[in-house]
Amino acid sequence: MALGSNHSTITTSANFIPELWSDEVIGAYKSNLVLANLVTKMSHKGKKGDSINIPKPNRGSASVKAANTQVTLIADTAGTLQININKHYEYSKLIEDIAEVQALASMRKFYTDDAGYALATQVDDDLFALGEGLQGGTVGGSGASAWETAVIGGDGSTLYTGGSSNASDITDAGIRKMILKLDDADVPMDSRSLVLPPVAANDLLGINRFTEQQFIGSGDAIKTGKIGQIYGVDVFVSSNCPTVGTDRVGLLLHKDAIVFAEQVGVRTQTQYKQEYLGDLFTADTIYGVGELRNDAGVAFVVPNA
């Protein structure tokens, strides 16, 4: 007996196409990353192990070469930094067949954008959290000890005290003082970034040094969140900057201050779940973060108003 032509096929079934979902999620993920693009990134893709040991050689110094003597050998004092690959985050949706059949095509676009944004936000959260440890601070402080080595944006030198909330609006003098702090630590001039919360970015637009053409630079703002340049430092705005009490935190840092080690980049998987009559969609990533050079960055705090 012929069964007719009403067969379920790839064309008639409401299954998702993983390749399309993957491309869209990765695109959304990359477009929402800010801090991850500004730090040292190490790929651990395809490699086994739950940690990476990074050599940290100390700088050497030049020696006088005296006549008729051998050269002065520099002792090897390199240390190591261990980065634990211990962060695994996922974003999952179960979309029942009736929803897939009846929903607009824009539903997939929303979910892929949302997945990329959620994973990118989590990565940036973990990187921003390490900013509290710069300049000898302790990550995870609370109350008066929160962000205890951060400075206030107004002068770039007075330490922030969470208990009294002495934060002040960012100023030209404050930026220059923070830059000087990195200069005194012999931090390279290139690959520095100033990451601001939106409220501080708004204040920065009122600083003449920033709005004058010669301080903005002429290159295209190809990096996510880049709004210009001041004193040779690229300026970025991020709504993901940490909140401490009623204040917001920003960072001035060199890329060597923090490291982002990625073992599994953003991937997407789909599986039809017959017991639920729907498609399970999951996007996930595996990575680790760590502080690479303590004096290569400084956190600052501004009022969130």
Side-chain angles (χ1 to χ4, degrees), residues 110-192:
F110 171 79
Y111 286 151
T112 54
D113 282 348
D114 198 39
Y117 178 79
L119 294 174
T121 298
Q122 184 59 55
V123 170
D124 269 3
D125 277 346
D126 289 327
L127 291 169
F128 271 118
L130 293 180
E132 190 174 4
L134 295 172
Q135 302 297 327
T138 301
V139 176
S142 61
S145 63
W147 297 89
E148 59 186 351
T149 57
V151 297
I152 61 175
D155 62 22
S157 59
T158 301
L159 291 179
Y160 172 71
T161 53
S164 63
S165 186
N166 62 334
S168 58
D169 294 338
I170 196 165
T171 64
D172 180 52
I175 294 172
R176 287 188 283 110
K177 192 69 174 181
M178 289 187 284
I179 290 175
L180 178 61
K181 195 175 190 69
L182 267 59
D183 291 343
D184 287 342
D186 198 24
V187 176
M189 299 288 186
D190 63 338
S191 300
R192 293 183 183 183

Side-chain angles (χ1 to χ4, degrees), residues 41-285:
K41 186 173 182 179
M42 298 186 65
S43 176
H44 198 58
K45 294 180 181 179
K47 299 178 182 178
K48 301 296 183 180
D50 60 359
S51 64
I52 304 174
N53 291 309
I54 304 173
K56 290 184 64 177
N58 295 322
R59 291 185 179 273
S61 57
S63 303
V64 174
K65 176 59 177 73
N68 299 318
T69 62
Q70 73 172 37
V71 296
T72 302
L73 301 180
I74 300 174
D76 186 4
T77 56
T80 59
L81 170 69
Q82 186 175 81
I83 303 297
N84 293 317
I85 311 296
N86 57 1
K87 299 183 182 297
H88 188 187
Y89 287 94
E90 53 86 14
Y91 175 105
S92 300
K93 287 283 186 180
L94 181 67
I95 304 171
E96 294 188 352
D97 287 347
I98 189 170
E100 169 64 11
V101 170
Q102 297 179 353
L104 297 173
S106 58
M107 181 181 69
R108 188 194 73 242
K109 178 63 175 174
F110 171 79
Y111 286 151
T112 54
D113 282 348
D114 198 39
Y117 178 79
L119 294 174
T121 298
Q122 184 59 55
V123 170
D124 269 3
D125 277 346
D126 289 327
L127 291 169
F128 271 118
L130 293 180
E132 190 174 4
L134 295 172
Q135 302 297 327
T138 301
V139 176
S142 61
S145 63
W147 297 89
E148 59 186 351
T149 57
V151 297
I152 61 175
D155 62 22
S157 59
T158 301
L159 291 179
Y160 172 71
T161 53
S164 63
S165 186
N166 62 334
S168 58
D169 294 338
I170 196 165
T171 64
D172 180 52
I175 294 172
R176 287 188 283 110
K177 192 69 174 181
M178 289 187 284
I179 290 175
L180 178 61
K181 195 175 190 69
L182 267 59
D183 291 343
D184 287 342
D186 198 24
V187 176
M189 299 288 186
D190 63 338
S191 300
R192 293 183 183 183
S193 302
L194 179 65
V195 186
L196 303 166
V199 64
N202 184 63
D203 291 333
L204 193 65
L205 293 175
I207 298 176
N208 290 336
R209 289 297 192 188
F210 182 72
T211 54
E212 290 172 1
Q213 180 62 37
Q214 61 266 39
F215 285 86
I216 295 177
S218 58
D220 293 331
I222 59 173
K223 292 184 179 178
T224 302
K226 184 175 179 180
I227 60 173
Q229 189 179 79
I230 186 168
Y231 300 117
V233 178
D234 290 333
V235 181
F236 298 82
V237 60
S238 173
S239 60
N240 209 34
C241 287
T243 298
V244 50
T246 58
D247 303 318
R248 296 296 298 274
V249 178
L251 296 174
L252 170 66
L253 76 167
H254 185 269
K255 69 179 183 66
D256 287 344
I258 296 172
V259 62
F260 168 48
E262 189 177 58
Q263 188 170 39
V264 175
V266 173
R267 63 179 178 178
T268 64
Q269 301 178 81
T270 58
Q271 182 184 42
Y272 189 75
K273 309 293 289 185
Q274 185 175 347
E275 62 271 35
Y276 293 104
L277 292 179
D279 280 288
L280 174 62
F281 160 70
T282 296
D284 72 323
T285 182

